[in-house]
Amino acid sequence: MVSLRPLLVWLASLLALFAFTTAGSAASPLPRDKGLPIAVQAGASVLSIESFDENTGTLRATVDLRLRWNDSRLAAPADAGGAPPETLRGAAAEARMKDIWIPPIRIANQTGEALRSEYGLRIYPSGRAELLHRVTADFTVGVDVQRFPFDRQKLTIEIAADTLTTAEMQLRFDQSDIDFSRPSANAELAGWSIGLIDLKSAPLPGWYNGSHARIVAALDIKRQPGLVVASIFIPLLASLLIPLLAIWLNSMEDGVFQVDTYEMVNIIIGGLFAVIALNFTVYSSYTVLSVGDNTVNRLFALNYIGLASALFVNIVFSRFNVIARLFGPYVQEQAYVTLMWTIPTLILVLAAAFMLAAYV
């Protein structure tokens, strides 16, 4: 007796392959009448920003994604050329989307499920289709705090086509997409000034030297530095005075220091604990600042260098009189006076340079 099992397995595989290549609906195959690649225009606007956590690089926002393409199969009869477009929203739009080809687009930097997802569909008699996707979700964004607190951040929405190569479909944008890609007048984010949205094409690498289309919509925001300067940089700059005072407060008469070394060292140790406490407080609130090169890390390093310099000067000059023993008290006095102004000048100039480098 001949077994039908191999034949059934073959038929099941054939049906699975057919379902894969025609997934979505009976009308889902690519619109190839004008050849490949299919040009899909894309844009994104930001309606509102619920939150932005720079420590985790997470943005929660409501955005509108707009896709536009041509499909001759959607064209109305010639005598209906002046008819209004078919406009659908919500459930009606989603039902219609099952019957036509829709560009396989996803938001590549979205994390987790969307909190809100709604569709609007408009089909023109010419066969032009326009899909609007309104979504509220969390997005992963890059954060660069090198110029903190005068930094600008790019809050990105990545529109990607992972299942089709650029030989099959390309994402493009023109002036109308740039005009659409704007933040809403009601979009606000506490502590930041909202700028414009920049569109950029950034294809993704694929298999076998292929690539996938991707457009990155980047919303520019600028930090409002007032509160940060008051809460972080004023204490940081004030702490720089501690090692300077530990040098300035001492004086010499006939090569002899008038203030005991232990009193100066106590000031320096107290300054060290103050800087450590400030360090812990700042990095607890702004974890992102603890990594990489930025103005805050530079000023903390300058504080530690200043404290070490003050401790070195007090021990070498005041405690052990090294210079006086080697070259005499007059040389020690002149060397101390020189360091009394050289070290503070260098520290203050470096601090000002760090702040200016971040500002410019």
Side-chain angles (χ1 to χ4, degrees):
M1 182 177 179
V2 179
S3 175
L4 296 178
R5 182 180 179 83
L7 180 60
L8 293 175
V9 172
W10 179 81
L11 288 174
S13 301
L14 185 61
L15 288 173
L17 178 62
F18 178 78
F20 176 79
T21 56
T22 60
S25 68
S28 64
L30 299 177
R32 301 172 179 267
D33 56 308
K34 293 185 179 181
L36 297 178
I38 301 165
V40 177
Q41 292 179 237
S45 64
V46 177
L47 299 183
S48 64
I49 302 176
E50 282 70 30
S51 63
F52 169 50
D53 189 343
E54 56 192 305
N55 291 322
T56 59
T58 303
L59 165 71
R60 175 169 291 183
T62 299
V63 300
D64 274 353
L65 304 183
R66 189 182 73 173
L67 303 176
R68 296 183 296 163
W69 68 97
N70 288 307
D71 190 341
S72 60
R73 296 170 297 186
L74 302 176
D79 56 356
E86 178 185 3
T87 303
L88 304 169
R89 295 177 182 175
E94 295 184 31
R96 186 73 169 96
M97 289 166 57
K98 296 178 181 179
D99 298 327
I100 65 175
W101 180 80
I102 299 295
I105 299 299
R106 73 180 185 93
I107 303 178
N109 63 326
Q110 178 180 327
T111 59
E113 295 293 330
L115 302 177
R116 174 189 181 187
S117 181
E118 299 175 353
Y119 289 94
L121 180 63
R122 183 173 291 173
I123 301 175
Y124 294 85
S126 62
R128 183 73 165 171
E130 179 179 304
L131 177 66
L132 194 68
H133 184 196
R134 179 164 297 176
V135 56
T136 301
D138 292 330
F139 308 96
T140 301
V141 297
V143 178
D144 182 5
V145 292
Q146 184 173 355
R147 295 182 57 187
F148 181 91
F150 307 108
D151 53 318
R152 309 176 78 105
Q153 302 298 333
K154 298 289 187 180
L155 307 183
T156 56
I157 304 296
E158 300 181 12
I159 308 169
D162 296 331
T163 58
L164 295 178
T165 66
T166 51
E168 298 170 301
M169 188 188 79
Q170 293 184 354
L171 292 177
R172 301 173 182 174
F173 56 89
D174 57 18
Q175 187 59 48
S176 63
D177 299 302
I178 295 174
D179 294 337
F180 172 81
S181 302
R182 294 180 180 273
S184 168
N186 299 322
E188 296 180 350
L189 183 59
W192 299 84
S193 299
I194 306 296
L196 299 177
I197 295 178
D198 177 55
L199 294 181
K200 181 179 68 173
S201 178
L204 293 167
W207 289 90
Y208 306 112
N209 297 322
S211 62
H212 303 283
R214 178 180 61 169
I215 286 180
V216 177
L219 173 63
D220 180 72
I221 60 173
K222 181 180 180 181
R223 190 189 302 273
Q224 297 171 353
L227 181 61
V228 175
V229 170
S231 61
I232 295 179
F233 284 88
I234 290 180
L236 262 176
L237 295 174
S239 62
L240 284 173
L241 298 177
I242 297 174
L244 308 187
L245 291 174
I247 298 176
W248 280 339
L249 291 179
N250 214 335
S251 61
M252 297 183 69
E253 290 184 9
D254 299 328
V256 179
F257 286 97
Q258 302 302 302
V259 181
D260 191 82
T261 305
Y262 294 105
E263 296 182 18
M264 296 294 100
V265 171
N266 284 336
I267 294 177
I268 296 172
I269 298 301
L272 176 62
F273 283 113
V275 173
I276 292 174
L278 181 60
N279 192 317
F280 177 79
T281 302
V282 171
Y283 289 158
S284 296
S285 301
Y286 295 90
T287 309
V288 67
L289 293 174
S290 62
V291 180
D293 180 26
N294 55 71
T295 311
V296 172
N297 283 342
R298 292 177 181 180
L299 289 177
F300 272 125
L302 192 59
N303 268 279
Y304 290 122
I305 291 174
L307 290 168
S309 300
L311 183 63
F312 174 81
V313 169
N314 276 277
I315 291 177
V316 170
F317 283 79
S318 178
R319 176 68 179 86
F320 294 107
N321 293 305
V322 174
I323 305 301
R325 292 179 181 180
L326 293 176
F327 306 102
Y330 176 77
V331 174
Q332 174 167 280
E333 182 176 353
Q334 296 305 310
Y336 187 81
V337 171
T338 301
L339 291 176
M340 182 185 296
W341 294 104
T342 300
I343 292 177
T345 301
L346 287 175
I347 289 177
L348 295 178
V349 168
L350 284 174
F354 293 158
M355 295 296 293
L356 287 174
Y359 181 76
V360 176

